[in-house]
Amino acid sequence: MSTAPIGPASAVTSPDPATPPIATARGLVKTYGSGETAVHALAGVDVEFGRGQLTAIMGPSGSGKSTLMHCMAGLDRPTEGSIVVDGDEVGKMNERQLTKLRRTRLGFVFQAFNLVPTLTAAENITLPLDIARRPVDKAHFDAVVAAVGLEDRLGHKPNELSGGQQQRVACARALVSRPAVVFADEPTGNLDSTSAAEVLGFLRRSVDDLGQSIVMVTHDPTAASYAHRVLFLADGRLVGELLDPTPASVLEMLGSVSSRARQAASPAAV
Ligand SMILES: Nc1ncnc2c1ncn2[C@@H]1O[C@H](COP(=O)(O)OP(=O)(O)OP(=O)(O)O)[C@@H](O)[C@H]1O
């Protein structure tokens, strides 16, 4: 395990200097509202997400994790700063281009599995390709389905599947189009620990074996320990990172980050 000291955003380094990152943000600011009621959800974030890596984003509630992910994925626009995903400047895209980016080059996994209840598992998995009118690469479909262990469940509707199986369908759906990057927002938030381990094991293998790049927001130190690298946010800033994390090292860093955030919020109480 290696750790980086908690420091300003600029202290967070490139994941691997030899490999160009799959996504980069520079000077990212997101402010909701204005004047005295303004909320600085992101207060100047510089970050690079590694190509062929699983990166976890952690931090206290309200620290800006979802906002960072939504801005990176073109689901929300930053107030300031630039974002490059897979070589293209996201901030310069119009809505139509953003939709195309999300449909063709990004994959999404959410806490709520967001499957279409009337479609089978197989139909749910190929839905993004069908919507984009892109052909299904049968060999890749089979590889992804085998990797998530759903070969004998493909004809089932979501209500005939367990929560873990439904989330594995959602993961397969995110991966079947070979996206440049998958954004996963609390992918195991609704799962028991056994199902969570299956989904996380699959996400990690899809990086190690299929070369996928994944960015995952999570509150769970065990989930984060599946990542190659964990980034810690507090008050809209990147304040630290861990490489090759363990649940214990993540928990320790999270405690340190959270207590610093509390001290900054109410210095008189310390
Ligand atoms: N649409 C919005 N309008 C106003 N404020 C917002 C909006 N979305 C987020 N915020 C605020 O921005 C800050 C960061 O929110 P964000 O959801 O990114 O945090 P988070 O770290 O993902 O939190 P959690 O772990 O609780 O999901 C919070 O103070 C939140 O209240």
Side-chain angles (χ1 to χ4, degrees):
M1 180 192 78
S2 63
T3 62
I6 294 178
S10 56
V12 176
T13 54
S14 172
D16 176 2
T19 312
I22 193 66
T24 307
R26 291 276 174 261
L28 209 57
V29 171
K30 178 69 183 181
T31 306
Y32 292 105
S34 60
E36 291 198 349
T37 58
V39 175
H40 302 292
L42 296 176
V45 170
D46 294 291
V47 65
E48 297 184 345
F49 293 101
R51 190 179 294 266
Q53 282 199 336
L54 174 53
T55 308
I57 304 174
M58 297 201 85
S61 181
S63 57
K65 303 181 292 295
S66 297
T67 304
L68 175 59
M69 173 172 283
H70 290 169
C71 287
M72 296 304 301
L75 294 164
D76 202 353
R77 288 197 186 267
T79 310
E80 284 175 37
S82 73
I83 295 168
V84 175
V85 175
D86 195 24
D88 284 328
E89 175 69 62
V90 174
K92 292 194 175 135
M93 294 183 185
N94 60 32
E95 287 305 319
R96 192 181 56 76
Q97 291 168 321
L98 282 176
T99 302
K100 188 170 176 206
L101 171 83
R102 290 194 297 265
R103 274 196 190 153
T104 60
R105 287 154 70 194
L106 306 183
F108 293 93
V109 181
F110 296 102
Q111 181 171 350
F113 318 128
N114 292 347
L115 301 179
V116 179
T118 52
L119 299 182
T120 64
E123 290 164 343
N124 268 288
I125 292 170
T126 58
L127 187 62
L129 290 170
D130 296 340
I131 289 173
R133 298 208 182 93
R134 289 169 59 197
V136 177
D137 175 342
K138 181 76 171 71
H140 187 59
F141 174 90
D142 289 344
V144 168
V145 166
V148 291
L150 286 169
E151 297 99 320
D152 58 351
R153 292 283 186 281
L154 287 177
H156 289 58
K157 303 261 174 68
N159 67 357
E160 298 162 345
L161 299 170
S162 70
Q165 288 167 341
Q166 290 184 56
Q167 193 61 312
R168 284 188 275 145
V169 171
C171 290
R173 178 183 57 185
L175 286 158
V176 77
S177 58
R178 300 180 195 270
V181 52
V182 170
F183 291 99
D185 199 351
E186 292 282 357
T188 56
N190 279 339
L191 301 180
D192 62 66
S193 58
T194 306
S195 301
E198 286 168 5
V199 166
L200 291 162
F202 166 68
L203 290 176
R204 175 66 190 235
R205 283 196 304 281
S206 74
V207 170
D208 291 342
D209 300 347
L210 305 176
Q212 187 62 60
S213 305
I214 300 180
V215 177
M216 169 177 76
V217 166
T218 182
H219 282 104
D220 176 7
T222 301
S225 73
Y226 282 75
H228 295 91
R229 176 170 173 247
V230 187
L231 300 175
F232 294 85
L233 278 176
D235 297 323
R237 295 179 193 279
L238 276 175
V239 292
E241 70 174 327
L242 280 175
L243 303 180
D244 302 324
T246 64
S249 67
V250 173
L251 203 55
E252 188 185 341
M253 183 72 114
L254 203 54
S256 164
V257 165
S258 300
S259 79
R260 284 168 65 104
R262 275 197 303 276
Q263 284 173 24
S266 57
V270 180

